Amino acid sequence: MRCYHPSLAESNPKYLLLSSYKSANTPWADSLPFIFINQYNTPSNSVIMTAYDPINNGGDGGGRQMVIQISQSTTRPRLVKKIEERNPLIITPSNANSKQQQRRLVSLDVFRGITVSLMILVDDAGGFLPAINHSPWNGVTLADFVMPFFLFIAGVSLALTYKKLSCRAVATKNAISRALKLLILGVFLQGGFFHRLNDLTYGVDIEQIRWTGVLQRIAIAYIVAALCEIWLKDDDHVSSKLSLLKKYRFQWVVALVLTSTYFSLLYGLYVPDWEYKHPIETSSSAPSIFSVKCGVRGNTGPACNAVGMIDRKILGIQHLYRRPIYARTKQCSTNSPDYGPLPPGAPSWCQAPFDPEGLLSSVMAIVTCLVGLHYGHLIIHFKDHKDRILTCTISSSCLLCSGLALDFFGMHVNKALYTFSYMGVTAGAAGILFTGIYFMVDVSGYRRSTLVFEWIGLHALVIYILAACHVLPVVLQGFYWRHPKNNILRLIGIGK
């Protein structure tokens, strides 16, 4: 079915209306949006029906009319083709498919592909170039942008996915199902099931399993942001930036509550003295017991912060990451900023487990996903490229400057704690990079140079599992000739 504006009928004699329907005898007509009037059989075996819209009556009292053509012929009339050429906004079966193909935000796939490539780069080259590896504590490096970029991308994707909802209950069920699958996959891949690259053993002790990880954090942020997008938005029409904020005001309330909760716990909880055993794994020799002196409140150092304390209390120290990032600090490594032997007089906390994807730090990670959700709303409601780019640039600059200002005044940028300043700097950088890619790919049309990243972005999860989680190297090492060292990787010069 093809729908045409009344001006088309006025400018084309073949689409002239045959009768007027509005009269004093039919007052119920004003309650209907469109009323079909007459039909007209054309030589091209089509039926043209006229309709009247009582809403938005013109000054002449005629009302708005619309012409509808129901075609029964495979051959399109020349008049229809000419009308469509002059009015590209007319929705017809011929251009509906092309418009659906254009709806996909290619720049988001490219951004996801760049992030996956960056993650593989810092994982593989971080050992050779510690400068691009994760910051030992305060500060930010190239590797520290990977996680926030993933969370930002997840937020933008959610806004596009749940743009139109047919049933909120079904959408909620699907979102929970996806989050659970991602959570289970993360525990399997990052819980310790695969031991080492050069070790063919596998399996994990439930008492030692690591419950948190990259995929688990993304799953938590995803489900919270998805529920916000499904249930916490009004049906108001967006006509300005103020109406956009009003439409999603409850989502901003959630972000404010999460941020306030994070600040209250990080700076308000009292952290007592604690101790741990090293090594935690059972062995023939008795493990050494180390005591860490704290007794402070609001500390953001490696030993006595509330983020680590909450994880030790709720998850258990035996379930935390065994190779803490602060082991690369100058206090704990002679090869800082790389891992190395303990220096003389090293603090007692240097070998204590600490999870970089802990519970409290994941609260601010959810806020990053909600920020990405906001950028998705900008793409949806602002149709003009200039408005999108300008608004995204301003928002990103505000986030970036606020994060840097907080770091200058003492709230340090810290990935392990996922501080508010770290959220602002990384989310702002994500917004700037996303805006630049959007301008290059979706606006300017330079897609040929980004096809590789686009392909990686479309297969991001598979590539992440095979490469970043070392599943592919582990599988390849499982095939060898007579001795485990004679495997495929050894033949091509990879591994030891």
Side-chain angles (χ1 to χ4, degrees):
M1 184 173 69
R2 302 183 178 92
C3 299
Y4 299 91
H5 196 269
S7 60
L8 305 178
E10 295 173 2
S11 60
N12 294 275
K14 292 186 179 181
Y15 287 88
L16 289 177
L17 301 176
L18 300 184
S19 65
S20 176
Y21 196 76
K22 186 177 181 181
S23 67
N25 297 328
T26 56
W28 52 270
D30 290 338
S31 63
L32 298 178
F34 283 102
I35 305 171
F36 293 104
I37 308 172
N38 287 314
Q39 69 178 33
Y40 172 59
N41 296 322
T42 66
S44 60
N45 198 22
S46 300
V47 177
I48 296 178
M49 300 184 66
T50 62
Y52 170 77
D53 176 16
I55 303 176
N56 300 322
N57 289 338
D60 58 354
R64 187 177 65 181
Q65 296 169 326
M66 184 177 71
V67 182
I68 299 178
Q69 177 189 16
I70 305 177
S71 177
Q72 298 175 348
S73 173
T74 57
T75 305
R76 302 175 63 193
R78 294 181 180 179
L79 178 60
V80 174
K81 186 175 182 180
K82 291 181 179 179
I83 292 174
E84 290 173 2
E85 290 176 353
R86 287 202 304 263
N87 296 272
L89 296 180
I90 297 175
I91 302 176
T92 66
S94 61
N95 61 17
N97 293 333
S98 61
K99 285 184 176 292
Q100 182 127 13
Q101 293 174 357
Q102 294 175 1
R103 286 178 186 172
R104 185 169 187 87
L105 197 62
V106 180
S107 54
L108 191 63
D109 295 325
V110 175
F111 189 16
R112 189 184 296 109
I114 292 176
T115 305
V116 173
S117 303
L118 179 63
M119 176 187 59
I120 297 174
L121 172 66
V122 296
D123 284 349
D124 294 339
F128 305 100
L129 299 172
I132 69 172
N133 204 348
H134 292 288
S135 175
W137 196 246
N138 292 329
V140 64
T141 63
L142 188 62
D144 295 325
F145 288 95
V146 174
M147 169 62 77
F149 283 5
F150 276 129
L151 296 170
F152 180 91
I153 292 169
V156 178
S157 301
L158 281 170
L160 301 177
T161 301
Y162 297 113
K163 177 181 177 180
K164 294 182 180 180
L165 294 173
S166 57
C167 180
R168 291 184 174 181
V170 174
T172 303
K173 179 182 177 181
N174 293 336
I176 294 175
S177 175
R178 292 170 185 167
L180 286 176
K181 292 176 182 177
L182 198 61
L183 191 69
I184 295 173
L185 182 62
V187 173
F188 174 74
L189 293 174
Q190 299 177 307
F193 185 82
F194 299 104
H195 289 190
R196 290 183 297 272
L197 285 178
N198 298 312
D199 190 350
L200 294 182
T201 60
Y202 62 91
V204 60
D205 184 358
I206 297 298
E207 293 184 353
Q208 309 291 332
I209 192 173
R210 182 190 175 202
W211 297 113
T212 58
V214 173
L215 293 179
Q216 296 92 308
R217 170 171 282 182
I218 295 176
I220 294 173
Y222 173 88
I223 188 59
V224 174
L227 293 177
C228 288
E229 183 65 8
I230 294 171
W231 296 98
L232 299 182
K233 65 178 179 181
D234 294 336
D235 297 328
D236 301 337
H237 175 70
V238 175
S239 57
S240 64
K241 296 180 177 64
L242 184 61
S243 60
L244 177 68
L245 295 176
K246 182 180 179 181
K247 180 180 179 68
Y248 299 102
R249 61 187 181 275
F250 293 112
Q251 296 183 8
W252 290 111
V253 170
V254 172
L256 180 61
V257 170
L258 291 174
T259 303
S260 303
T261 302
Y262 173 84
F263 274 110
S264 301
L265 296 178
L266 179 65
Y267 294 103
L269 286 180
Y270 175 79
V271 181
D273 299 342
W274 55 284
E275 59 183 24
Y276 68 98
K277 298 178 180 180
H278 183 78
I280 295 179
E281 296 87 351
T282 58
S283 60
S284 56
S285 59
S288 301
I289 299 178
F290 294 89
S291 179
V292 181
K293 298 294 182 180
C294 288
V296 295
R297 193 187 306 272
N299 187 277
T300 56
C304 302
N305 58 80
V307 173
M309 185 195 69
I310 290 176
D311 292 337
R312 291 190 297 269
K313 294 292 185 181
I314 297 179
L315 299 177
I317 195 170
Q318 70 276 13
H319 295 291
L320 303 184
Y321 189 58
R322 307 292 173 79
R323 207 178 183 196
I325 193 65
Y326 51 65
R328 295 170 45 231
T329 59
K330 293 182 179 180
Q331 300 99 310
C332 301
S333 173
T334 56
N335 297 332
S336 181
D338 198 2
Y339 291 101
L342 290 172
S348 58
W349 45 264
C350 283
Q351 302 177 84
F354 182 89
D355 210 302
E357 283 83 35
L359 299 177
L360 182 57
S361 57
S362 294
V363 172
M364 289 305 300
I366 298 173
V367 177
T368 299
C369 195
L370 293 175
V371 171
L373 196 63
H374 165 69
Y375 280 76
H377 296 156
L378 296 178
I379 296 296
I380 290 173
H381 296 291
F382 294 163
K383 304 303 181 183
D384 184 67
H385 292 310
K386 183 178 179 181
D387 291 340
R388 289 175 175 177
I389 293 173
L390 182 61
T391 308
C392 289
T393 302
I394 294 175
S395 301
S396 303
S397 301
C398 291
L399 283 170
L400 185 61
C401 292
S402 63
L404 293 175
L406 289 173
D407 180 76
F408 178 78
F409 287 107
M411 185 183 294
H412 297 296
V413 175
N414 188 296
K415 177 191 179 296
L417 302 180
Y418 216 114
T419 56
F420 185 83
S421 57
Y422 171 76
M423 186 279 298
V425 169
T426 54
I432 291 175
L433 181 58
F434 171 66
T435 305
I437 298 173
Y438 171 77
F439 174 76
M440 183 180 70
V441 176
D442 289 310
V443 178
S444 302
Y446 293 108
R447 291 185 59 181
R448 182 173 300 178
S449 58
T450 60
L451 284 177
V452 175
F453 293 120
E454 182 180 347
W455 182 86
I456 295 175
L458 292 172
H459 306 85
L461 184 59
V462 176
I463 295 175
Y464 173 81
I465 293 173
L466 295 178
C469 295
H470 304 298
V471 173
L472 181 60
V474 168
V475 172
L476 293 178
Q477 285 180 343
F479 295 90
Y480 58 87
W481 175 256
R482 294 184 178 180
H483 193 276
K485 290 185 178 180
N486 300 326
N487 54 58
I488 299 176
L489 295 182
R490 183 68 176 271
L491 292 176
I492 61 178
I494 301 178
K496 297 181 180 179

